Amino acid sequence: MKFVHWVSGASLLCAGMSAWAQAPGPATDADATRLAAAFGAREQVQQISISPDGRKVALLAPAGARGVGLLVGDRDKGGEPKQILTSSGEPERLTHCFWSTNERIVCGIYSVVPGPDLLGFTRLISLNSDGGDMKVLSARTSTRALGTLYDGGRLIDRLADDKGGTVLMTRSHVPESTTGTMLASSAKGVGVEQVNTTTLARRQVEQPRGNVVDYVSDGHGTVRIMGIQSARASGYNGDQVNYSYRLPESRGWQPLGTFNVSSRAGFNPYAVDPDLNVAYGFDLYDGRSALYRLALDGSGKRELVLARPDVDVDGLIQIGRQSRVVGASFATDRRQAVFFDPEIKALQGALQRALPGQPLVTFLDASADEKQLLLLASGDVDPGMYYVYDKQSRALEQILPARPQLAAATLAPVKAITYPAADGTQIPAYLTMPAGGAAKTVGAIVLPHGGPGARDEWGFDWLSQFLAARGFAVLQPNFRGSAGYGDAWFQKNGFQSWRTAVGDVNDGGRWLVQQGVAKPDKLAVLGWSYGGYAALQSAVLDPALFKAIVAIAPVTDLDRLREESRQFTNFLLVDQFIGHGAHVREGSPAQNAARIQAPVLLFHGDLDRNVGVAESRLMADRLRDAGGKVDFVEFKGLDHYLDDSDARTRMLAQTDAFLRTSLKIAP
C-alpha cells in the first residue's frame, strides 16, 4: 500500500499551540496548566466530508474558544484549507456540512434562544466552496404563521444520480391565519421537498402529515418509508411509531410494522437498499438488538442479518452519497465491524494491518463513484488521523490529525477488564493507568458514563486521558443500566434501577482499592450528565467511599428532570422513563444532600437543554444548607456539552486542583 501526504493544512489548525515532548505526568502547576489547555482544546476536525469528484474536503474546525469555522481544502492544489464561513457559538453554531455538487456545500446551523424553556432552532443553508452565494435552504414562514418554526429541516437524500445540486429535505409546516386572506396555508406537520441548493427551486415530494417523525429515502430520490408517532389526546407523544412503506413504482403506503420507543420492540428501519428492495433496521432478538432486513415487495419476508449472544448489534455502516449499506457494527471490549461488501471488508483488513496503532477504522464519506473514501483511523493512545484512500492507486493520503495539540503527548493505554459487583455479577469496564504504570499513580477515579442509555467503548477519551496524564488511574464501568448489553443488563434504566447501577459504580471503587490501584483515602468519582448523577448518588448510597466528587451537568432531582420536559411533546415518555414511587425521592441527590460527606465540585452551562442548570443550582444550595463543602462553576452561554476550549481548559485545571486538595495529593 502506497502512502502519500497532504498535511500542510495542519499548520493552520495548530497555529499558536505549543508542543511538548516529555511524557505527561504529575509534576508542577505549569505542567497542569499546559496539560489542561492541550486536552481541553476542542477536537480540531469536528466533522468532515469529501466532494463528489473526490478532489476537495470540507471540514468543521474550532474558530476561537467556542465558534466553529467551515474550511475547504483542495487536494490537488495542496496548501492550507481556506476558512470560508464562521459561526460564533454565541449562540448559533455550524453542526454539519456536506457537498451537494463539486462547488456547492450544504450546512446545518443550530441555535438556542435563552428563556425559561431554552428553545432550540435549526436551519439549513447552502454556499459555494469559496464562501460565496450563501442562501437559506430552510423554507421561510409567513408573517401569518400561527406558530414558530423551530425545525429547519433535515437532509434525507443527497440524490446520488443528480448532477444539478438538488437534495431531498424534510420541511415542517405551520398553519397560517386566514384572517383577511384566501391564500393562507392550513398545512401542518412534516413533509419532504426536493430543493435545488443553488436556485432554491423547490418541489413538494411528500405532503405534510401530523406526527411524522421519520422519512427514509432510497438514496436515489424516492421516499420508501415513513414513520408516524402515536399521540395522546393531551397532545403529548405516545411510545409507538407506526411505519409504512411503498412498493417499487407505487405512491400508496403499506403497513410495515410498529416500533415501541420505550421497549425497543419492533422493527426500527434505518436504510433502504433499492437494488435488493429491502429495508435494513433493528429489532430485538433474545433480548438484544439485532440487525434485520425486510423485503419491500409485499411478501413480508424478514431475514436476520446479524445478532450477538453477548451485546447489541447497534450500528449500521453506510457509505457514499446514496448511503449504501455495507455492514454493521457492535461493541464487545472494543467496537467491531462486520462487512457485507467484500471489497470494503478486504480494505478494512488491509487498513488495520497498515495502521496497527490506529485499529479503529471508520468510513465517513465517499466520492460519487466511491473510488475515493474518506475515513478516520484512531486508537486508545491515538486521537486519530483523517485519510483519503484512492482505490485505483491504492494510495492512503493523510488529511489532518484529529487533535494536533496532543501530537507529542505520551497517552495512556486503555485496558478492558471486568470486576465483581457485590452480588457476584462481573461488570465490564475500562481501566486507564497513567503512563509509567502504578509507580506514577497518585490516586484513582471512577468515571461513570452519561446516558444512562449509553455505554463506554475502547478508544481515545480526552477526559480520562487528561486524568491519567495527571497521575490518576481511571475506571470507566459499564454498570447495569448501561445500554449495549441487552434488556436484562439495562434493567428498568439507570434511574428506576439506580440502586443497582450506582451500586456497581461504587463496587468499582472498592475493587480499585482491593487491587491496590489506590489507597482508600485517594479515591474519587467524577461524571458528566447521568455520570454526574451517579457520582453524587454514589455518596448517598455510601457516604464514606469516595473522598471527592466532581459532577458536570448532573441530574440532581428526578422530579425536577421530569418537569423540565412538561412543555415538550416527549413529556409522557420522560415521565414513564423516570417513573413514580419511593425511588424518585431516594434516588435524587438533592433530596439526600445531608448524606453527602465528601467535598463536591459542580460544573454546568446555563443554556443546557438536556439537564437544566437549575439542577446544579439546587444541588449547591442543598449541600450548603446541609453544611457540606461545595464549589459551583456556572458557564454562561454554554449548553450540556460545554463546547468551548477555554471552558474545558478551566474545568480540567480546576478539577485537577480540587482533586489534589481533597485527596491531599501534591501538585
Side-chain angles (χ1 to χ4, degrees):
M1 185 175 288
K2 174 185 173 185
F3 290 83
V4 294
H5 302 276
W6 178 60
V7 297
S8 58
S11 62
L12 172 66
L13 297 180
C14 297
M17 299 175 185
S18 59
W20 28 273
Q22 72 273 20
T28 67
D29 288 338
D31 287 334
T33 300
R34 184 166 58 249
L35 286 167
F39 284 96
R42 293 180 294 159
E43 191 169 8
Q44 292 302 291
V45 181
Q46 299 188 345
Q47 189 255 333
I48 189 169
S49 63
I50 193 167
S51 61
D53 62 8
R55 302 321 308 164
K56 298 177 183 177
V57 294
L59 62 107
L60 295 181
R66 65 178 61 174
V68 178
L70 169 61
L71 290 81
V72 173
D74 191 313
R75 295 172 55 215
D76 289 330
K77 296 179 180 179
E80 295 180 345
K82 178 183 178 182
Q83 184 166 282
I84 64 170
L85 182 67
T86 59
S87 59
S88 68
E90 299 178 356
E92 79 289 339
R93 65 175 181 267
L94 291 162
T95 56
H96 59 276
C97 292
F98 294 100
W99 295 86
S100 171
T101 69
N102 291 323
E103 298 298 333
R104 198 74 178 162
I105 302 172
V106 175
C107 294
I109 297 176
Y110 172 73
S111 179
V112 175
V113 177
D117 293 323
L118 292 180
L119 301 175
F121 290 79
T122 63
R123 293 294 184 267
L124 289 176
I125 63 171
S126 64
L127 69 164
N128 291 336
S129 60
D130 63 1
D133 195 27
M134 186 170 66
K135 296 177 179 177
V136 178
L137 288 183
S138 300
R140 300 180 184 274
T141 54
S142 165
T143 56
R144 298 188 300 271
L146 295 175
T148 303
L149 183 65
Y150 302 106
D151 175 20
R154 178 174 59 91
L155 194 68
I156 65 170
D157 196 330
R158 285 194 275 172
L159 296 177
D161 307 318
D162 183 85
K163 308 300 182 184
T166 58
V167 297
L168 290 190
M169 57 181 287
T170 61
R171 176 180 176 179
S172 294
H173 293 256
V174 178
E176 298 173 354
S177 170
T178 59
T179 303
T181 181
M182 299 181 64
L183 302 177
S185 171
S186 60
K188 182 180 180 180
V190 180
V192 176
E193 292 183 332
Q194 180 174 304
V195 182
N196 186 284
T197 60
T198 301
T199 67
L200 300 188
R202 53 200 327 125
R203 176 176 65 86
Q204 187 177 85
V205 174
E206 299 294 335
Q207 64 181 1
R209 293 175 172 85
N211 293 95
V212 169
V213 293
D214 199 11
Y215 286 106
V216 182
S217 175
D218 65 356
H220 297 273
T222 301
V223 177
R224 294 292 304 276
I225 294 176
M226 174 179 65
I228 298 179
Q229 189 160 10
S230 59
R232 308 291 177 85
S234 61
Y236 292 124
N237 289 338
D239 60 2
Q240 292 189 343
V241 180
N242 297 305
Y243 281 100
S244 303
Y245 77 99
R246 282 195 174 108
L247 295 167
E249 310 301 328
S250 171
R251 290 294 299 169
W253 290 106
Q254 309 286 331
L256 181 67
T258 299
F259 172 70
N260 189 289
V261 177
S262 301
S263 68
R264 299 194 303 161
F267 183 69
N268 187 10
Y270 272 65
V272 170
D273 186 322
D275 296 327
L276 297 178
N277 194 28
V278 299
Y280 284 94
F282 298 94
D283 200 350
L284 294 179
Y285 179 82
D286 287 344
R288 295 180 178 84
S289 177
L291 180 66
Y292 287 85
R293 59 185 177 195
L294 267 62
L296 300 180
D297 59 3
S299 68
K301 181 181 178 182
R302 174 183 168 108
E303 178 185 358
L304 176 62
V305 179
L306 183 63
R308 293 280 303 187
D310 49 354
V311 295
D312 290 336
V313 176
D314 54 9
L316 191 65
I317 304 173
Q318 298 172 262
I319 200 168
R321 293 175 62 81
Q322 71 272 38
S323 299
R324 183 169 65 91
V325 175
V326 296
S329 70
F330 54 88
T332 51
D333 57 343
R334 65 177 64 183
R335 177 65 55 173
Q336 301 180 56
V338 174
F339 288 97
F340 317 138
D341 183 296
E343 184 181 26
I344 299 296
K345 180 179 180 180
L347 176 58
Q348 171 88 348
L351 289 169
Q352 289 180 330
R353 291 189 295 272
L355 303 168
Q358 299 171 320
L360 299 179
V361 177
T362 304
F363 294 101
L364 302 173
D365 200 3
S367 59
D369 58 10
E370 294 189 14
K371 292 180 180 179
Q372 308 277 329
L373 301 178
L374 180 65
L375 59 98
L376 169 66
S378 65
D380 58 340
V381 294
D382 191 324
M385 175 68 73
Y386 291 87
Y387 298 91
V388 170
Y389 177 74
D390 187 298
K391 289 184 179 180
Q392 290 182 318
S393 66
R394 301 182 65 197
L396 187 64
E397 177 184 347
Q398 284 187 350
I399 300 298
L400 288 170
R403 290 181 178 268
Q405 310 93 330
L406 301 178
T410 300
L411 301 178
V414 180
K415 182 181 179 181
I417 60 100
T418 61
Y419 65 86
D423 62 2
T425 301
Q426 291 295 313
I427 308 301
Y430 298 96
L431 179 63
T432 305
M433 297 291 292
K440 295 290 185 179
T441 302
V442 299
I445 297 170
V446 179
L447 180 60
H449 61 73
R455 59 157 290 174
D456 275 320
E457 295 188 22
W458 184 88
F460 173 83
D461 179 272
W462 63 274
L463 184 53
S464 61
Q465 285 291 341
F466 168 77
L467 296 169
R470 291 298 292 150
F472 294 98
V474 182
L475 182 72
Q476 296 171 270
N478 282 322
F479 46 85
R480 282 169 287 185
S482 301
Y485 297 90
D487 289 347
W489 193 265
F490 188 68
Q491 302 202 348
K492 290 182 179 179
N493 64 57
F495 290 129
Q496 295 193 45
S497 302
W498 74 266
R499 289 186 182 277
T500 300
V502 176
D504 289 350
V505 171
N506 285 359
D507 287 336
R510 298 185 185 100
W511 179 82
L512 288 169
V513 174
Q514 293 165 3
Q515 296 298 307
V517 175
K519 296 179 180 179
D521 63 342
K522 298 293 188 287
L523 191 64
V525 61
L526 182 155
W528 199 317
S529 193
Y530 177 86
Y533 163 85
L536 292 165
Q537 193 65 10
S538 69
V540 175
L541 196 61
D542 186 346
L545 180 61
F546 295 110
K547 309 308 179 185
I549 301 168
V550 180
I552 307 164
V555 172
T556 69
D557 187 282
L558 297 185
D559 268 329
R560 185 176 289 262
L561 179 67
R562 185 198 325 272
E563 288 305 309
E564 288 173 14
S565 296
R566 186 171 290 277
Q567 301 304 316
F568 298 90
T569 58
N570 69 338
F571 171 71
L572 292 183
L573 299 180
V574 174
D575 178 65
Q576 179 180 329
F577 189 82
I578 294 172
H580 296 266
H583 75 276
V584 174
R585 180 186 61 78
E586 295 168 357
S588 294
Q591 301 299 322
N592 299 275
R595 289 186 55 80
I596 299 177
Q597 300 174 6
V600 174
L601 176 60
L602 299 169
F603 297 97
H604 218 128
D606 69 345
L607 295 185
D608 192 334
R609 299 182 68 229
N610 299 60
V611 181
V613 67
E615 300 219 26
S616 282
R617 293 170 180 167
L618 175 67
M619 190 75 229
D621 289 344
R622 293 290 175 85
L623 285 169
R624 293 187 186 105
D625 290 345
K629 183 177 180 181
V630 59
D631 292 317
F632 174 35
V633 178
E634 184 172 316
F635 292 108
K636 300 298 182 183
L638 292 180
D639 63 12
H640 192 66
Y641 306 99
L642 302 182
D643 196 18
D644 179 308
S645 296
D646 290 346
R648 289 185 176 185
T649 296
R650 177 185 174 186
M651 181 183 73
L652 293 181
Q654 196 159 342
T655 294
D656 179 71
F658 169 79
L659 291 173
R660 290 175 186 280
T661 298
S662 301
L663 302 181
K664 298 179 174 59
I665 298 170

